[in-house]
Each structure stands twice: as C-alpha cells, then as structure tokens.
Amino acid sequence: MSDTPFGFGLPPEEPDDGDEGKKKDQQSGGGQGPANPFGFGSPGAGGLGGGADNPFAAMFGSLNPTDLGAAFQQLGQMLSYEGGPVNWDMAKQIARQTVSQGTADGTKDASIGPAEHTAVQEAVRLADLWLDDATSLPSGAGTAVAWSRAEWVEATLPAWQELVDPVAERVGTAMGDVLPEEMQAMAGPLIGMMRSMGGAMFGTQIGQAVGVLAGEVVGSSDIGLPLGPAGKAALLPVNIETFGKDLGVPKEEVRLYIALREAAHQRLFAHVPWLRSHLFGAVDGYARGIKVDTAKLEDVVGQFDPQNPEQLQDALQQGMFQPEDTPEQKAALARLETALALVEGWVDAVVHAAAKPRLSSADALRETLRRRRASGGPAEQTFATLIGLELRPRRLRDASRLWASLTDARGVDGRDALWAHPDMLPTATDLDDPDGFVHREHLDFSELDKMLGEAAGGSEKPNLKKDEDDKGDKGDGAE
C-alpha cells in the first residue's frame, strides 16, 4: 500500500515544483509517464500489469495534505457516478490530462494555426484528385480539417464509447450478479459502489489509452475504424511532423501520402454504407462472447474492503474476464480480423496505385506505414486489455496483394464492385488462395433458367440466356 491514504494524490499535470515536481512524481510512481500508456505499472497477467500500488495515480498523482479535501471530493464524485458502464466524463478528463503531458519524445500538443489548416486542406484536395484515377468510389470527404491531439480526443470519444460500452456492460452486470439473489437487496449500496468504481476504472483505462494514442495517430482512421465524424478528413500536423522526422522524406510528401490514406478511408466508409455497422457489429458480437470469471469476482466481493479499492482494480488486471472459446466467438473474431484486413488492404493498394507514379518516396512510405500498422500500438493494447481483442490487421499484406490482383484481372470498377455487399467480399479462406478468388468462374445462370422454367409450370420459359457475350456481362455484374 501507498503511504498516503487510499493511495490518492494530486493530478500529475499540476506538480508543486513545476517540472521538477513532475520528475519526482514520475520517479515515485505517482504519475503516468509516457512509457506506460495505461498508468497501472509494468505489464503483467491480463495485459494491464499489477505492479502499481496506486491504480488511481492518473487521477490524483502524489497526495499533498493541503489538497486532501480536493482529492476526496474527486473520490466522492467517482463513487457517486450513476451513468453507463464507463465513466466517460472521467475518460475524457484522463485523456486530456495525458495529452497535456506530451509524448515520450518530449513533443507537446499545440493549437493549429491557419497555415497548417490550409496545408492540410490542400493536401486532401490533391489526394482526392489523385484517387479519382485509382478507385471508382467518389470522394467521401466533405471537409478537411487539421486537429490538435486534444481535438482528436474530443472528436473520437463517441466512437470509443460505442466500441467499449458492450464489454464494460457485461462486467458491470456481472458485478451485480455474483451475490445470491436474497443478499442483493441487503448489499445494494455495496453493489452500487462497485459498479461506480467499475465505471471509473474502465474510464481511467480507456482515457489513458486514448490519450496516449492521440500522441501517435496521424489521422482519424489510423486503426481501420471510422473514429471521427462522417465525411470529415482529419490530419494531425504535430504527429505527422514527428512521424516523418527521421524518414529523410520531404514533409510535404509525408503529409500528402497520409492525406491519400485518410481520403481513401473516407471514400470507403462514405460509399459502402454497411461497412461501419459491419465492423462495429463484429466488435459487439465478439464482446457478447466475453465471459466473466464469476468465482474470482465472488471472492473479490466477499473480501471487498471500501478502504482498499485496489482490490477491484487487481481483479480487472488479472484476467477476470476472457473470451469464450466457442464457434460463435471464433467466427466473430475471424469476421472482424478479415474485415479489418480487407479495409486496410484496399486502402494500401489504392493509395499505392495513386502515389507510385507521382511520389518518389511512395515505396518507402508505404513500407513504413505497413510496419507501423502491423506492429500495433495503444489502440491494440487497449482492446487486448479490455476484451482480449487485437485490432491489428494480421493479413494486411495478403489482402493488399488480393486487391491488386483483382485490379489487374477485373479493373478498378470490377474490384470496387465487390464492396456492394458483405457476402461478395473475399473471406479468410480466399486470403489463403487469392488466385483462386481472383480467377473464380463467373456465375452460370443456366441452372437458374431451368428452375424458373419449371416453376412456370410449362409456360413459356423466360429468356434469361442471351448470347455468350451477354451472359459474360451478366456474370460480371453479379460478381
């Protein structure tokens, strides 16, 4: 246990001694340093790590007696929370605090000036012109904006809420179900307090993760999900400059290549109306398969000490919930991983086709971003932490090759037509055999003709078969 009551302290961005206070706070474990995006100690079982004595350090820092009242006031607000499964007000507060601390390399957030806004708008405008030759999907970006890290946090929290709430809801419900029914009425206040603390803990976790991610993302669609408002292409100039600093590539080319990726994502999500719900639904379906270790939770409830709230945090840290190993859960995971790979693979192939003839650095930037995307980051850590789900498109390169082969075999229009319906897209099996999918025989309508004729009861059979060219054209359209 910490020497301070309950292990609470002051917010880390307001140390008593300025920068020196920050250093002392980080060295003592009271702060949330950039090297630890979740602020809960070194990684341990379950992905969060259980080494920290103080699970609420990100909220309170190192306690000072003069601020004891303020610390307990915040604690009271946390315990009185009666909203949904995640305290999103706290998540927003923690994310903003994390952003204000800067990144591990010392880069601070900054307001966006008029020149940067103009540069981003021009880059997205040019990117859309280039993409017109590489895809049949029209522009999906009604506006182009430059965001600071804090603005990215504000704009993306609604999407994070949609993604995380289903899992947090399951855990919150489990907290109320572990006691026998006849005891639940008597333990009502305790259950309510545990749910409030659960909401606060999820809020702290997601807030810290989103805050760290804000220091790395270069646009609104880095993780393959539409996190920002529809139709708004957004770039983060501060992070783009950091990303391109050691690449030896002119910053204008780096910005333009990032703009190409952002504009391509916008086209896809704007003109494939079912795609967003398909991806978010796959996450929700995966979350429904989460099971809570009720035996461990029962032990926590039975031994819960209100003066030792770390116990509940430890339960979250040490694998209290995990995915069901069922065919439905495996199918949900495969559906999500394949969909993410197809989205990122399509963007990769389309952007490369648009950039290769025009940017000398296209190959280098493509490979750098591929490796960056495949290696994961805070977003992947967040979902691995919360629901055991990694959002890395493991088969990005396979999907990119398949889309490129489809372009060669069927042209841009034939390739993009596959986004018309989810059932038309390649599957995980098709990624194993891309040539088989690319050169698959077009649909044969002869059996359909026969069935329709028989169903007509001997009446004149509808003439669905024309000459071979018409048949081929009809097959292409169906595919």
Side-chain angles (χ1 to χ4, degrees):
M1 279 292 294
S2 170
D3 293 333
T4 56
F6 303 102
F8 298 134
L10 293 177
E13 84 275 21
E14 297 178 359
D16 292 313
D17 303 320
D19 292 338
E20 290 301 318
K22 283 186 181 180
K23 294 177 182 177
K24 292 177 183 177
D25 187 55
Q26 291 172 358
Q27 290 169 357
S28 65
Q32 183 263 320
N36 181 2
F38 298 101
F40 295 122
S42 57
L48 276 175
D53 290 333
N54 178 3
F56 301 106
M59 288 180 283
F60 299 106
S62 58
L63 190 66
N64 183 301
T66 61
D67 294 282
L68 183 61
F72 277 99
Q73 183 180 7
Q74 288 197 34
L75 175 60
Q77 292 173 353
M78 178 185 74
L79 294 179
S80 63
Y81 172 73
E82 296 180 352
V86 177
N87 188 331
W88 287 101
D89 290 337
M90 181 168 290
K92 179 178 177 180
Q93 174 191 355
I94 298 299
R96 293 293 297 261
Q97 289 178 359
T98 304
V99 165
S100 71
Q101 294 173 359
T103 54
D105 62 1
T107 304
K108 297 287 187 178
D109 195 18
S111 299
I112 306 300
E116 291 171 312
H117 276 292
T118 300
V120 166
Q121 291 169 351
E122 291 179 351
V124 172
R125 188 179 303 115
L126 181 57
D128 260 334
L129 287 175
W130 289 4
L131 287 171
D132 285 340
D133 296 332
T135 173
S136 62
L137 300 180
S139 174
T143 58
V145 295
W147 280 344
S148 66
R149 294 166 179 170
E151 288 172 325
W152 182 89
V153 168
E154 296 278 352
T156 62
L157 273 180
W160 290 112
Q161 182 171 355
E162 187 175 349
L163 289 164
V164 174
D165 269 353
V167 174
E169 181 67 44
R170 288 190 60 83
V171 177
T173 300
M175 286 180 173
D177 293 342
V178 294
L179 289 177
E181 187 173 345
E182 61 274 11
M183 294 180 61
Q184 289 189 20
M186 294 185 294
L190 174 61
I191 294 174
M193 183 173 68
M194 291 182 65
R195 285 178 172 167
S196 295
M197 292 189 65
M201 290 172 182
F202 266 104
T204 302
Q205 290 171 290
I206 193 67
Q208 289 173 331
V210 168
V212 173
L213 184 59
E216 296 189 358
V217 292
V218 293
S220 72
S221 53
D222 277 28
I223 67 169
L225 295 171
L227 296 178
K232 182 174 288 187
L235 304 183
L236 282 73
V238 173
N239 292 352
I240 291 176
E241 184 173 352
T242 301
F243 167 75
K245 183 170 57 176
D246 299 321
L247 296 180
V249 176
K251 64 179 181 180
E252 292 80 9
E253 290 196 17
V254 175
R255 180 172 54 233
L256 183 51
Y257 196 88
I258 299 298
L260 281 165
R261 290 184 54 82
E262 178 73 9
H265 277 104
Q266 292 293 334
R267 288 183 180 226
L268 193 58
F269 286 110
H271 299 291
V272 183
W274 55 264
L275 183 56
R276 186 185 190 279
S277 60
H278 180 76
L279 289 169
F280 280 64
V283 174
D284 182 67
Y286 185 84
R288 285 196 299 269
I290 297 292
K291 64 179 180 180
V292 177
D293 188 340
T294 55
K296 181 178 291 186
L297 190 54
E298 286 172 1
D299 291 340
V300 172
V301 173
Q303 302 173 16
F304 182 74
D305 178 2
Q307 295 187 355
N308 188 14
E310 292 95 324
Q311 288 179 342
L312 200 57
Q313 179 64 53
D314 289 341
L316 289 172
Q317 293 172 344
Q318 296 170 9
M320 187 178 71
F321 47 90
Q322 59 186 6
E324 292 257 19
D325 189 20
T326 63
E328 293 81 9
Q329 183 74 344
K330 292 178 180 178
L333 178 59
R335 185 168 65 251
L336 178 59
E337 289 182 337
T338 301
L340 283 172
L342 291 174
V343 168
E344 291 297 274
W346 183 88
V347 169
D348 180 78
V350 167
V351 168
H352 185 69
K356 177 69 172 176
R358 300 176 173 96
L359 292 179
S360 59
S361 57
D363 288 334
L365 288 169
R366 181 192 202 188
E367 186 60 28
T368 299
L369 283 163
R370 275 182 166 185
R371 291 179 180 179
R372 183 176 188 262
R373 185 71 179 90
S375 63
E380 288 75 16
Q381 293 172 15
T382 300
F383 281 88
T385 290
L386 296 177
I387 55 177
L389 174 63
E390 293 182 353
L391 288 175
R392 288 201 308 270
R394 301 174 186 276
R395 309 195 65 180
L396 167 60
R397 293 176 187 270
D398 293 338
S400 182
R401 281 194 293 268
L402 186 147
W403 288 118
S405 297
L406 281 168
T407 307
D408 294 337
R410 305 185 188 181
V412 167
D413 291 345
R415 177 201 66 198
D416 292 346
L418 294 178
W419 289 106
H421 191 278
D423 290 344
M424 297 175 66
L425 287 178
T427 64
T429 303
D430 294 324
L431 293 179
D432 293 329
D433 181 23
D435 289 339
F437 180 84
V438 170
H439 300 292
R440 183 175 298 165
E441 290 289 334
H442 293 309
L443 296 177
D444 184 355
F445 287 91
S446 58
E447 287 300 315
L448 178 61
D449 285 346
K450 182 178 178 182
M451 292 171 61
L452 288 175
E454 293 173 351
S459 61
E460 184 178 352
K461 184 169 66 174
N463 183 19
L464 294 181
K465 288 182 70 177
K466 298 181 181 181
D467 57 44
E468 288 299 313
D469 289 337
D470 286 339
K471 177 183 172 183
D473 289 341
K474 191 172 295 185
D476 285 342
E479 187 91 350

